[in-house]
Amino acid sequence: RIRDPDYSLKEYFEDCVAALPELRLFFSFDGGGRSRTSSGHGAEKEYQRTFGALFCVYWLLRLEIDGKEGFCFGCGDQWEPLLEAVGGETEAKKRTDFLQHMDWPSMAQVVQTAVGDSIERIEAMIVLTGFHDIMKLAHFCPSVSSKHAPYRGYDADATINDHDIALAYVLEHYPDTLPSFRNLPPTMRDVLLFSQNKMHFNHGWFVQAEGPPQAMLSGFKEAAKGAAPADVAFYFFHWL
């Protein structure tokens, strides 16, 4: 129903809470009663950021309904998409300029290529967005088993403290750990593994110049050979 004009953001929020058990992990604690995150934000803040990302999925799938305004301005107290920017003058101007000057047809093309009208692919995008950042909670970071070592630079018994690599390790070697991932069709699990593990590409690092081009792009170039355009687009939709 995500593209149903009558399907509200509030209904979507409630459906995500009911359907994604991994969201409850943001409110868990380690053996010492602590909940530390690698980002420096509190676990509750990471939960809120995750829902911000889930809301973006909702809005990007509704660009021709109310998605552009929601993506740029957010929602009001009654869950309705705001029609104009609120807040400070500088921030409001940035949001308004984005709405007016963004290349929306190109963004819509990324979304269409990534998921099209496939319920399975849309479901997979929501699932990935729901659990993508749980490995920022330090007590969930896995240690590399000797039978998998070395794993992307981590030796046996080493704790994987990079949340992206930690998630890739769990998805690849312990897929039953995350119920939402386990319940996806095998083809969709493969798409998530491709986007999170096989591409070896961090778009955030790339656009912020946090690594040299050769190191950033060589893995992506290799992974993209023979890859389905929809699967590459899936990664970039998730990054959006």
Side-chain angles (χ1 to χ4, degrees):
R1 298 182 54 206
I2 199 163
R3 284 172 168 150
D4 181 342
D6 295 327
Y7 183 59
S8 70
L9 183 65
K10 182 176 186 293
E11 290 175 294
Y12 172 71
F13 168 78
E14 292 170 347
D15 287 343
C16 286
V17 171
L20 301 173
E22 292 85 0
L23 291 170
R24 294 195 290 270
L25 298 176
F26 286 105
F27 300 98
S28 63
F29 301 93
D30 63 17
R34 299 167 299 178
S35 184
R36 296 175 293 113
T37 67
S38 60
S39 66
H41 300 297
E44 183 176 351
K45 180 69 172 289
E46 290 297 342
Y47 176 82
Q48 293 171 347
R49 286 160 63 99
T50 292
F51 259 107
L54 284 165
F55 287 179
C56 286
V57 172
Y58 171 88
W59 286 319
L60 286 169
L61 288 166
R62 298 166 60 93
L63 290 177
E64 299 307 316
I65 305 172
D66 52 11
K68 295 175 187 176
E69 293 78 11
F71 190 83
C72 294
F73 303 145
C75 66
D77 293 340
Q78 303 302 314
W79 301 85
E80 78 286 2
L82 298 176
L83 300 181
E84 59 182 17
V86 297
E89 181 179 349
T90 300
E91 179 68 19
K93 184 178 185 306
K94 288 181 179 179
R95 292 176 179 272
T96 302
D97 287 346
F98 188 92
L99 176 67
Q100 294 175 347
H101 302 297
M102 174 60 196
D103 183 357
W104 292 109
S106 293
M107 186 175 283
Q109 185 59 52
V110 171
V111 173
Q112 180 63 26
T113 303
V115 299
D117 296 320
S118 167
I119 294 176
E120 287 186 348
R121 295 185 75 88
I122 291 172
E123 179 185 55
M125 178 60 66
I126 293 171
V127 164
L128 173 59
T129 306
F131 63 52
H132 180 261
D133 283 351
I134 58 172
M135 295 301 167
K136 288 182 178 179
L137 296 171
H139 54 284
F140 287 132
C141 291
S143 298
V144 178
S145 170
S146 58
K147 61 184 177 182
H148 305 141
Y151 185 83
R152 293 179 60 175
Y154 290 88
D155 295 327
D157 299 324
T159 298
I160 304 176
N161 49 30
D162 180 294
H163 75 278
D164 289 314
I165 298 177
L167 179 62
Y169 180 76
V170 170
L171 296 182
E172 183 176 352
H173 295 294
Y174 301 98
D176 289 344
T177 303
L178 301 174
S180 297
F181 180 72
R182 181 189 63 216
N183 292 334
L184 289 174
T187 53
M188 291 300 98
R189 292 200 296 268
D190 289 343
V191 171
L192 263 64
L193 280 170
F194 172 79
S195 67
Q196 296 305 297
N197 188 18
K198 296 180 181 178
M199 286 183 65
H200 299 280
F201 178 65
N202 187 311
H203 198 198
W205 292 357
F206 180 69
V207 299
Q208 296 175 103
E210 295 183 19
Q214 194 278 335
M216 294 295 298
L217 295 173
S218 57
F220 171 70
K221 180 179 179 181
E222 189 63 30
K225 291 179 180 177
D231 295 345
V232 177
F234 190 94
Y235 168 84
F236 286 104
F237 181 5
H238 172 65
W239 188 85
L240 290 173

